[in-house]
Amino acid sequence: MLSSHKIKIIQSLDKKKFRQKYNMFLVEGNKIIREMLNSSFKIKEIFSIDLEDLDVEYTETISVSAAELKKISFLQHPKNSLALCEIPLEKPFQELKQQIILDGIQDPGNLGTIIRLADWFGIEQIICSEDTADCFNPKVLMASMGSFLRVKIYYKNLELYLSETKNENIGTDMQGENIYDFKFPKNFNLILGNEGNGMRPKTLENLHKKITIPRFGKSKSTESLNVSMATGIILGQIFAQK
């Protein structure tokens, strides 16, 4: 049985301060757990209601009841297994030729979806402002569908970083150039702003080019696109040019 102390620690991991305190995060689902075992991430313990279905060889695998799993899961309908994982040390930063930059993205689902899109299109690195949602938030990890294992994520002072980068800073703006006419350079930072407020003034000052997704529908009711949806459209256009 799981001790009440262990349950309390696991339940606390939905908050960033406790993830930092215990240096742990939680992932749920057999598929992602299997992927993690073949990655550089370190799993501390696995809890499963069906060890046969999990089908992994790992010494710290613990059988739990469905009731116990429900207590430690962050999902309304828990998957068969979850794993306690160690937050890794940040790897030395190296600027890549193609990067996504996120300025104040708050919604964990948006961040997770953007990580998944980056993985799909082969963008290996995302740089976030210091107030962007935490990449180890359970909702981020679920939305990323395991892509967080393959995309490097760094948190930086964007004003400083964008003023020093060797890449071309390209950001979304309603008054920007039509993405279907815009020729993307080989080396770029694709910058996307906060869901409600867009980019901060200091971020806008560091843009080299501005782009926009044109509206083709006649209705003016839709004011803007969801940031993760916009990311997918822009990345699709970038790689359509290749």
Side-chain angles (χ1 to χ4, degrees):
M1 287 181 62
L2 285 172
S3 68
S4 58
H5 178 65
K6 176 73 75 172
I7 291 171
K8 186 177 179 180
I9 289 175
I10 295 173
Q11 288 175 338
S12 74
L13 298 179
D14 66 332
K15 294 181 175 61
K16 182 178 179 179
K17 66 177 181 179
F18 290 110
R19 290 194 292 274
Q20 292 177 331
K21 176 181 178 179
Y22 297 115
N23 198 44
M24 293 190 297
F25 66 99
L26 192 74
V27 298
E28 305 199 41
N30 290 349
K31 180 179 180 296
I32 297 178
I33 291 172
R34 291 190 198 104
E35 286 186 50
M36 287 200 72
L37 287 168
N38 293 312
S39 75
S40 60
F41 282 80
K42 182 180 179 181
I43 293 178
K44 298 176 76 69
E45 292 176 294
I46 298 172
F47 305 93
S48 180
I49 61 173
D50 189 345
L51 297 178
E52 197 170 301
D53 184 56
L54 178 59
D55 191 30
V56 299
E57 292 185 10
Y58 188 72
T59 53
E60 298 299 324
T61 303
I62 300 164
S63 179
V64 295
S65 68
E68 286 177 313
L69 190 71
K70 191 169 181 63
K71 286 182 181 179
I72 58 177
S73 172
F74 297 136
L75 301 175
Q76 188 173 357
H77 302 289
K79 298 179 182 290
N80 283 353
S81 308
L82 59 81
L84 271 179
C85 309
E86 189 176 294
I87 295 176
L89 293 173
E90 185 172 278
K91 296 178 181 178
F93 177 78
Q94 183 177 356
E95 182 166 87
L96 301 185
K97 293 181 178 180
Q98 298 177 345
Q99 304 177 138
I100 291 174
I101 311 285
L102 302 178
D103 185 11
I105 299 301
Q106 296 298 301
D107 183 82
N110 280 334
L111 176 56
T113 302
I114 291 170
I115 294 170
R116 190 178 180 187
L117 284 164
D119 186 25
W120 183 266
F121 284 99
I123 302 291
E124 298 177 3
Q125 191 155 284
I126 295 175
I127 299 169
C128 303
S129 63
E130 292 164 328
D131 62 343
T132 288
D134 178 29
C135 62
F136 293 111
N137 181 307
K139 293 178 181 177
V140 173
L141 301 178
M142 288 303 299
S144 82
M145 298 293 287
S147 289
F148 73 93
L149 298 170
R150 295 174 289 277
V151 178
K152 295 188 288 290
I153 301 169
Y154 293 90
Y155 288 80
K156 289 186 173 294
N157 178 319
L158 287 194
E159 182 183 350
L160 179 62
Y161 176 71
L162 293 175
S163 67
E164 296 177 343
T165 179
K166 295 179 181 178
N167 290 351
E168 191 163 350
N169 293 328
I170 300 168
T172 53
D173 186 272
M174 293 298 288
Q175 306 306 314
E177 186 177 341
N178 185 327
I179 63 163
Y180 300 111
D181 298 326
F182 185 78
K183 299 300 181 186
F184 287 86
K186 289 183 178 180
N187 297 5
F188 64 82
N189 295 320
L190 173 61
I191 306 168
L192 300 121
N194 174 270
E195 291 90 341
N197 302 316
M199 292 177 208
R200 277 173 270 241
K202 291 294 184 182
T203 303
L204 285 167
E205 287 176 14
N206 280 298
L207 294 184
H208 300 123
K209 298 285 178 59
K210 297 178 182 179
I211 56 173
T212 190
I213 301 169
R215 187 206 321 256
F216 292 100
K218 293 180 181 179
S219 171
K220 302 298 180 183
S221 300
T222 305
E223 294 181 0
S224 62
L225 290 171
N226 171 280
V227 65
S228 57
M229 187 183 298
T231 304
I233 293 170
I234 296 168
L235 290 177
Q237 178 59 18
I238 290 172
F239 288 93
Q241 296 180 6
K242 293 187 178 299

